[in-house]
Amino acid sequence: MCGIVGAVAQRNIVSVLIEGLRRLEYRGYDSCGVAVLANGEPRRARSVARVADLDEQVRDTKLAGETGIAHTRWATHGAPVTDNAHPIFSRDTLAIVHNGIIENYEPLREMLRGKGYEFVSQTDTEVIAHLIHSLYRGDLFAAVRETVRQLHGAYAIAVLHKDQPHTVVGARQGSPLVVGLGDGENFLASDALALAGSTDRFIFLEEGDVCELKLDGVRIVDRDGEPAPREVRQVAAYGGAVELGPYRHFMQKEIFEQPRAISDTIPQADAFDPSLFGDDAPKVFGKIDSLLILACGTSYYSGLTAKYWLESIAKIPTQVEIASEYRYRDSVPNPNALVVVISQSGETADTLAALKHAQSLGHVHTLSVCNVGTSAMVRQTEFTFLTHAGREIGVASTKAFTTQLVALFVLALTLARIRGHLSDAQESSYLKQLRHLPAALNSVLALEPQIIAWSEEFSRKENALFLGRGLHYPIALEGALKLKEISYIHAEAYPAGELKHGPLALVTEAMPVVTVAPNDALLEKLKSNIQEVRARGGQLYVFADSDTRIVNAEGLHVIRMPEHYGLLSPILHVVPLQLLAYHTACARGTDVDKPRNLAKSVTVE
Ligand code: M6R
């Protein structure tokens, strides 16, 4: 999704800006650009191709300057064409880059047209540029502060002005923005990762903050204009570049990293103690009477899986909602509920907004399950459980999902213990199972050659159905999401019992039906559903536990899972579905790590 980088220094900062954009590339974008003050004039280069093309342009044109801003754009208002690419100028005087969406851009545009401003792009961003220009009276910081007071919606912006050398002004509301502190130079970015090559000292701006970067320091005020001292945090972990190693794509690498990621996420402690979630958790967890889980996409599916664990092991009522739906419906708040937000990035706009909405309704206890310790979500929740997936580059989430499942399983066991539903013997048995998971996963990864053989056939299909039951229905949903997002094959998932209520009409020889078949209480029911598909000529592709007695036959293709894993089985069964999606996408030649139209971190609503 959109990315911002800005810098003021006493050296040419174009290469810093381009390097920052490169680091943000994995998030997905469709155009990019950079602007600097060159001899007191804003100059820019923009491209609707990759950052590498932008880099070539700036080298060819010898674009150089000591004050600059840069951007990767994921189109919202206006097509991905050069005129809509950022930086956007106002009257060749100031330049702006913007993440987010301005909801009241139409009345503002009319008002500015009335003042004689001409619009050359279809972006909502151009409104901000002209508004700052119209309010500028020799002080960019003041003009930006006055401007943001008139904006409705979400934004992170960085602005430079021809009359203010060595100055970049930034502001944020609903979209992340971080200041990077250097020696005699300072930086701004939408993600600290972008600045990893330049500094390891960061200030994470808070909602409503406006900042001014100069060579010798940074000024920050809050939404009321009051000076806002913000904590400086040293974050060295952003340092290392992520290498692809022997893998073809980051998605493949990340699938194979799962045993390590899971092992890093499983707590070292020998008991499931609430303090794993925060110092005050022992006091609070004993009092909560239900859970409200809010998330999007793959993270939502991890929440759906966790509902089965939470209700069956901890016997605690659990509601799971798509964040973007929850925030816009009337709901009944329960101050004794624990609100759990799940997110890889911790910056997903819909989930952040749902969290804020829950808090505004009176929910007091909040927990984030998140992969990024410095993210807004972690900062805005009372409790945190960090997953240790490591940086996930592929847009399709894989290791983030399985580590979220581990975290949520630990939550279920912790609540079960506190609520008296977990004996010591059960606790040590679950701990043993968790610790064996990485080894079990390695055996599943060894199925890759068999899955590659199936993927050849899938690559020639345009539709697929995924079936699962109980705990594995969310896994079927996740398998279908993986296949559609990276191979562009239309895929839908159903709880297998629902088949005869409609989707069975779709089943023909041309429709592959992928089925997740663990050896659990629903196996016999699932076998009946399998027969319903076979009887109609459907082609079944089944991932079956070893002792299910489901065997290869006409129309029935079986890959045998190495071992049955009880309640933790979803963590194993999702992996072959990830591999199936990955190899099918490779066979179709799609851009696996950066699928069309998608972004890694969805920071707009
Ligand atoms: O960073 P988050 O976990 O909050 O992201 C949520 C979704 O945008 C994300 O899971 C998305 O669905 C992935 N592309 C799925 O692979």
Side-chain angles (χ1 to χ4, degrees):
M1 195 132 285
C2 301
I4 289 176
V5 192
V8 291
Q10 281 176 306
R11 57 183 171 126
N12 177 15
I13 39 71
V14 170
S15 61
V16 170
L17 299 174
I18 296 283
E19 174 57 22
L21 294 188
R22 270 207 188 97
R23 287 172 178 268
L24 297 179
E25 265 194 302
Y26 78 97
R27 289 163 162 255
Y29 65 104
D30 39 44
S31 59
C32 51
V34 55
V36 290
L37 280 185
N39 302 320
E41 296 298 327
R43 283 189 55 212
R44 71 183 160 190
R46 295 184 289 178
S47 167
V48 288
R50 301 274 100 189
V51 172
D53 174 70
L54 183 70
D55 191 22
E56 237 173 77
Q57 273 192 52
V58 301
R59 283 170 201 274
D60 290 351
T61 57
K62 302 198 169 25
L63 189 77
E66 300 184 349
T67 308
I69 54 179
H71 195 251
T72 46
R73 174 174 187 255
W74 186 81
T76 56
H77 293 63
V81 295
T82 308
D83 276 349
N84 291 333
H86 303 196
I88 299 280
F89 281 7
S90 178
R91 295 189 175 169
D92 288 339
T93 301
L94 66 85
I96 180 169
V97 291
H98 163 224
N99 290 356
I101 292 176
I102 302 306
E103 286 166 9
N104 59 335
Y105 80 100
E106 280 174 330
L108 287 173
R109 190 172 53 193
E110 287 323 300
M111 181 272 285
L112 288 159
R113 276 195 177 129
K115 289 188 170 180
Y117 284 94
E118 261 181 59
F119 284 78
V120 294
S121 77
Q122 285 111 37
T123 63
D124 50 344
T125 307
E126 195 172 358
V127 162
I128 318 178
H130 294 325
L131 194 54
I132 297 172
H133 185 278
S134 73
L135 296 169
Y136 181 79
R137 307 276 180 275
D139 181 346
L140 185 60
F141 190 60
V144 169
R145 279 178 45 210
E146 219 174 309
T147 296
V148 295
R149 277 203 285 270
Q150 299 187 38
L151 303 179
H152 300 165
Y155 54 81
I157 57 173
V159 193
L160 58 80
H161 192 286
K162 67 188 280 237
D163 297 339
Q164 309 236 299
H166 297 119
T167 306
V168 166
V169 175
R172 71 153 290 201
Q173 175 70 43
S175 284
L177 199 60
V178 55
V179 172
L181 302 172
D183 289 328
E185 53 188 26
N186 290 300
F187 311 93
L188 197 61
S190 51
D191 185 332
L193 175 68
L195 306 177
S198 306
T199 182
D200 61 0
R201 288 187 303 135
F202 300 102
I203 296 173
F204 295 88
L205 295 178
E206 293 187 8
E207 292 287 73
D209 281 356
V210 181
C211 67
E212 181 187 53
L213 272 61
K214 299 264 190 196
L215 291 173
D216 55 358
V218 175
R219 168 159 62 132
I220 301 171
V221 296
D222 65 17
R223 69 172 80 247
D224 301 320
E226 296 301 320
R230 302 280 181 231
E231 186 192 351
V232 177
R233 297 170 68 169
Q234 190 118 11
V235 188
Y238 290 114
V242 177
E243 303 293 340
L244 199 48
Y247 298 97
R248 230 174 117 189
H249 296 97
F250 281 106
M251 182 178 176
Q252 187 189 26
K253 174 174 188 258
E254 288 157 5
I255 290 172
F256 278 83
E257 278 174 350
Q258 290 178 108
R260 194 272 311 142
I262 282 177
S263 150
D264 289 353
T265 301
I266 297 168
Q268 293 302 309
D270 281 333
F272 296 105
D273 192 89
S275 58
L276 292 167
F277 297 82
D279 292 344
D280 286 341
K283 271 191 272 161
V284 173
F285 278 22
K287 288 190 290 191
I288 58 160
D289 64 8
S290 60
L291 266 77
L292 169 62
I293 299 183
L294 304 169
C296 303
T298 288
S299 299
Y300 169 68
Y301 296 148
S302 73
L304 281 186
T305 314
K307 177 182 166 77
Y308 289 84
W309 291 330
L310 287 155
E311 296 203 337
S312 72
I313 312 174
K315 316 270 180 243
I316 187 159
T318 301
Q319 190 184 333
V320 191
E321 293 218 31
I322 293 177
S324 55
E325 288 295 308
Y326 168 76
R327 61 178 294 205
Y328 288 119
R329 76 173 183 87
D330 287 334
S331 56
V332 183
N334 169 9
N336 296 322
L338 177 66
V339 176
V340 183
V341 282
I342 309 171
S343 176
Q344 187 286 127
S345 60
E347 301 292 351
T348 300
D350 286 323
T351 313
L352 281 170
L355 170 64
K356 206 164 156 189
H357 179 66
Q359 287 166 328
S360 75
L361 292 180
H363 283 284
V364 279
H365 299 306
T366 56
L367 161 71
S368 52
V369 172
C370 189
N371 197 38
V372 181
T374 51
S375 64
M377 223 168 281
V378 168
R379 285 180 276 125
Q380 285 163 31
T381 44
E382 186 182 12
F383 306 114
T384 300
F385 189 101
L386 286 183
T387 50
H388 293 282
R391 199 177 332 148
E392 195 177 61
I393 302 278
V395 163
S397 187
T398 53
K399 59 180 180 170
F401 179 67
T402 44
T403 53
Q404 283 168 357
L405 290 178
V406 167
L408 293 164
F409 192 72
V410 170
L411 176 65
L413 294 175
T414 306
L415 291 172
R417 189 166 175 259
I418 273 200
R419 295 162 65 84
H421 298 300
L422 191 71
S423 66
D424 288 351
Q426 285 169 319
E427 181 172 50
S428 56
S429 155
Y430 281 130
L431 256 175
K432 216 162 132 195
Q433 282 181 47
L434 270 174
R435 300 234 154 98
H436 177 60
L437 254 183
L441 266 178
N442 273 322
S443 316
V444 176
L445 290 168
L447 300 173
E448 190 181 35
Q450 294 177 61
I451 296 167
I452 292 174
W454 281 9
S455 66
E456 287 299 321
E457 287 177 42
F458 273 76
S459 67
R460 292 189 287 275
K461 306 286 183 192
E462 288 310 324
N463 298 286
L465 273 180
F466 283 69
L467 303 180
R469 292 205 75 144
L471 258 181
H472 294 80
Y473 166 51
I475 297 308
L477 285 165
E478 172 62 2
L481 176 62
K482 288 290 88 100
L483 188 68
K484 71 185 118 183
E485 76 179 322
I486 59 167
S487 75
Y488 315 149
I489 293 173
H490 170 232
E492 286 188 67
Y494 282 91
E498 269 294 289
L499 203 58
K500 55 190 174 297
H501 298 291
L504 200 54
L506 293 171
V507 172
T508 65
E509 275 183 20
M511 172 72 86
V513 181
V514 181
T515 308
V516 184
N519 188 9
D520 61 13
L522 289 168
L523 178 65
E524 291 312 315
K525 302 274 176 216
L526 187 78
K527 280 183 174 170
S528 306
N529 304 140
I530 288 176
Q531 291 313 327
E532 290 162 13
V533 173
R534 281 190 78 196
R536 281 144 189 99
Q539 294 294 308
L540 279 146
Y541 293 82
V542 184
F543 292 98
D545 279 355
S546 47
D547 40 5
T548 50
R549 282 184 279 143
I550 301 175
V551 291
N552 281 311
E554 202 184 327
L556 182 56
H557 315 268
V558 182
I559 290 182
R560 209 154 284 293
M561 296 290 284
E563 57 185 302
H564 176 57
Y565 221 81
L567 282 176
L568 283 166
S569 162
I571 300 180
L572 295 194
H573 268 278
V574 75
V575 173
L577 303 187
Q578 296 168 343
L579 285 169
L580 182 64
Y582 171 71
H583 286 292
T584 303
C586 288
R588 285 166 74 98
T590 59
D591 190 349
V592 173
D593 285 333
K594 296 183 197 120
R596 71 180 173 212
N597 305 339
L598 299 184
K600 181 65 188 159
S601 180
V602 185
T603 50
V604 292
E605 205 190 316

